[in-house]
């Protein structure tokens, strides 16, 4: 998963490593210079012109000290690695404004007012990159399990998105996940459009021993999901998982149907599903879809087949809605909660192993 992106992040770490100079305390960073860098910024500002070299020597230069170690970073030396990182992010399908934001944050983290105290150059660079990525990935830290456990039952979740991205499979995976956590669920086939959709959802339901509510092909999807909500209320079922037909945000009839589902059923959550492998297309679709019909969160499927990782990095920032789950394969257990910190740790882990 996301191996291409991992490699490029690692390249940046190596390049940036060369741009950060470790100053030998005895030779280049004499006591006065060390003491100067150790002072809090406010003190340096108050001292103004009196600082060594006319008080301006630290502009465009960040100094980080730990015990005996001092790291000096010249902003100019960082530009080439940052430019390469930006190109690599774009080549890996990171949306352009998101790539810009990551670059700015990495630069600020390394050069900014906040001086970091670190044990090594690697740690200094890793932390700058990690913090930048986590900030961009973590739009609001939505926790699905917590939501389900606290919300009034039944919790009604409707899944939407374009054709073939994995909506139905994701519903089955979530039913399994809920069961593993002690929550019951009923599946509702609001895809009354495609022949075979009832059968497909029924097969998953049978495999997972779940009740499924279906109507005839061509029926009203809102009515199917409404029936499932009534079933859940009558049978103390915790969660209703409503499937819908694949649609583009431009498919007027289907978008009107979705609006009707939202009006009639009033789902607690509307979840947009798209595939990570679609990269920039997935990001654009999510943005356009959200403009046409607001959703609460997203699932990115087929992350197992995606080397670039750009959609996963960008989509929450662009839509302002959290990625709730990543689909990581075709099995029922191939679903993982999207945790920004954990994901960034994984993205940055490969380089560390080789050292
Ligand atoms: N590798 C991989 N394949 C997946 C994943 N999720 C779904 N798939 C596969 O994607 C294909 C389409 O999945 P569906 O669940 O039928 O997609 P859908 O969005 O419901 O499709 P429509 O109802 O036709 O719009 C199936 O072959 C799934 O097994 C995933 O996370 N990883
Ligand atoms: Mg489907």
């Amino acid at each position: 998963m996301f191996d291409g992106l991992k490699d490029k992040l690692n390249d940046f770490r190596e390049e940036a490593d060369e741009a950060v100079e470790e100053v030998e305390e005895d030779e280049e960073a004499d006591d006065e210079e060390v003491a100067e860098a150790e002072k809090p910024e406010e003190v340096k500002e108050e001292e103004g012109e009196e600082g060594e070299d006319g008080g301006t020597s630290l502009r465009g230069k960040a100094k980080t000290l730990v015990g005996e170690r001092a790291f000096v970073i010249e902003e100019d030396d960082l530009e080439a690695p940052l430019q390469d990182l930006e190109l690599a992010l774009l080549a890996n399908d990171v949306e352009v404004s998101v790539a810009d934001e990551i670059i700015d944050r990495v630069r600020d983290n390394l050069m900014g007012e906040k001086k970091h105290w670190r044990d090594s150059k690697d740690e200094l660079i890793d932390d700058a990159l990690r913090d930048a990525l986590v900030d961009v990935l973590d739009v609001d830290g939505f926790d699905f399990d917590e939501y389900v456990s606290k919300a009034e039952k039944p919790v009604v979740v409707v899944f939407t998105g374009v054709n073939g991205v994995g909506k139905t499979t994701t519903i089955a995976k979530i039913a399994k996940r809920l069961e593993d956590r002690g929550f019951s669920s009923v599946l509702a086939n609001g895809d009354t459009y495609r022949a075979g959709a009832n059968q497909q959802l029924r097969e998953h339901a049978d495999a997972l021993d779940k009740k499924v509510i279906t109507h005839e092909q061509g029926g009203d999807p809102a009515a199917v999901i409404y029936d499932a909500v009534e079933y859940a209320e009558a049978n103390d079922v915790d969660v209703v998982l409503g499937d819908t037909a694949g649609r583009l945000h431009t498919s007027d009839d289907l978008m009107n149907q979705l609006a009707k589902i939202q009006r009639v059923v009033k789902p607690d959550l509307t979840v947009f599903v798209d595939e990570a492998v679609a990269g920039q297309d997935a990001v654009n679709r999510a943005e356009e879809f959200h403009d046409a019909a607001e959703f609460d969160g997203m699932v990115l499927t087929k992350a197992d087949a995606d080397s670039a990782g750009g959609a996963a990095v960008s989509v929450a920032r662009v839509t302002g809605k959290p990625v709730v789950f990543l689909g990581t394969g075709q099995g029922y257990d191939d679903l993982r909660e999207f945790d920004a910190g954990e994901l960034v740790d994984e993205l940055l882990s490969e380089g560390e192993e080789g050292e």
Side-chain angles (χ1 to χ4, degrees):
M1 190 171 83
F2 310 153
D3 285 339
L5 184 60
K6 270 188 200 172
D7 286 349
K8 294 300 175 191
L9 293 172
N10 198 39
D11 289 350
F12 170 74
R13 293 196 292 190
E14 284 169 14
E15 276 189 63
D17 194 71
E18 286 173 24
V20 180
E21 191 187 345
E22 185 169 345
V23 181
E24 291 294 329
E25 195 218 0
D26 292 342
E27 293 165 18
E28 290 172 52
D30 61 29
D31 286 348
E32 262 179 55
E33 198 178 351
V34 170
E36 177 70 19
E38 274 178 328
K39 281 180 198 166
E41 279 304 307
E42 314 81 67
V43 176
K44 280 189 230 163
E45 274 160 27
E46 280 165 25
E47 287 177 357
E49 297 298 303
E50 286 165 34
E52 202 180 331
D53 300 337
T56 56
S57 64
L58 293 175
R59 187 163 299 154
K61 209 186 230 199
K63 187 174 297 184
T64 304
L65 299 168
V66 179
E68 304 291 290
R69 285 170 220 241
F71 302 108
V72 177
I73 308 168
E74 299 273 2
E75 189 161 6
D76 287 350
D77 293 341
L78 265 188
E79 282 316 305
L82 285 173
Q83 252 176 37
D84 288 349
L85 177 61
E86 171 138 38
L87 291 176
L89 291 172
L90 295 176
N92 280 281
D93 280 338
V94 176
E95 203 266 343
V96 62
S97 68
V98 178
D100 281 345
E101 193 179 340
I102 292 170
I103 299 301
D104 288 346
R105 283 174 185 265
V106 173
R107 184 189 290 108
D108 283 356
N109 290 345
L110 284 169
M111 302 297 305
E113 293 290 298
K114 282 179 280 165
K115 295 288 180 286
H116 299 284
W117 293 77
R118 297 289 185 268
D119 281 331
S120 67
K121 279 209 276 185
D122 290 347
E123 202 182 323
L124 183 71
I125 294 161
D126 270 15
D127 284 358
L129 201 49
R130 173 176 284 109
D131 290 352
L133 288 167
V134 170
D135 283 347
V136 164
L137 278 163
D138 198 7
V139 300
D140 81 349
F142 181 84
D143 186 324
F144 184 77
D145 299 334
E146 191 181 285
Y147 182 89
V148 168
S149 75
K150 289 191 176 157
E152 199 179 316
K153 310 292 183 299
V155 180
V156 182
V157 190
V158 168
F159 296 79
T160 185
V162 295
N163 291 293
V165 291
K167 296 177 294 298
T168 304
T169 312
T170 298
I171 285 171
K173 290 175 181 180
I174 291 178
K176 169 74 166 55
R177 184 186 163 92
L178 287 166
E179 179 165 318
D180 290 346
R181 284 158 179 74
F183 297 108
S184 54
S185 62
V186 54
L187 314 188
N189 185 31
D191 180 358
T192 54
Y193 188 76
R194 184 168 61 81
N198 278 347
Q199 181 58 22
Q200 188 191 2
L201 194 62
R202 188 174 299 284
E203 281 170 16
H204 285 306
D206 288 349
L208 294 165
D209 201 16
K210 297 287 156 210
K211 170 83 178 169
V212 59
I213 307 287
T214 60
H215 286 189
E216 296 283 289
Q217 195 187 346
D220 178 0
V224 186
I225 301 173
Y226 192 84
D227 278 0
V229 175
E230 291 203 318
Y231 175 88
E233 283 168 349
N235 294 278
D236 280 334
V237 175
D238 297 318
V239 184
V240 175
L241 299 171
D243 201 357
T244 61
R247 72 202 62 210
L248 289 169
H249 72 284
T250 47
S251 339
D252 288 342
D253 284 355
L254 286 166
M255 290 308 279
N256 288 337
Q257 266 187 8
L258 180 64
K260 183 172 177 192
I261 292 170
Q262 291 185 318
R263 217 168 43 239
V264 172
V265 181
K266 298 189 177 54
D268 296 287
L269 296 175
T270 301
V271 174
F272 178 77
V273 183
D274 211 320
E275 48 188 19
V277 277
Q280 286 276 0
D281 285 346
V283 177
N284 295 340
R285 287 197 293 241
E287 193 176 16
E288 289 163 350
F289 206 100
H290 193 248
D291 286 344
E294 215 173 303
F295 52 75
D296 303 294
M298 291 171 282
V299 174
L300 279 180
T301 61
K302 309 183 193 179
D304 50 303
D306 179 30
S307 157
V313 170
S314 314
V315 77
R317 203 74 189 165
V318 168
T319 59
K321 297 294 175 182
V323 178
V324 184
F325 293 113
L326 290 177
T328 57
Q330 292 182 295
Y332 291 130
D333 288 320
D334 294 330
L335 183 76
R336 66 180 258 189
E337 199 175 353
F338 188 91
D339 178 310
E342 209 173 90
L343 187 68
V344 171
D345 282 345
E346 272 178 46
L347 287 173
L348 297 179
S349 67
E350 201 146 280
E352 279 162 17
E353 278 164 25
E355 283 165 14

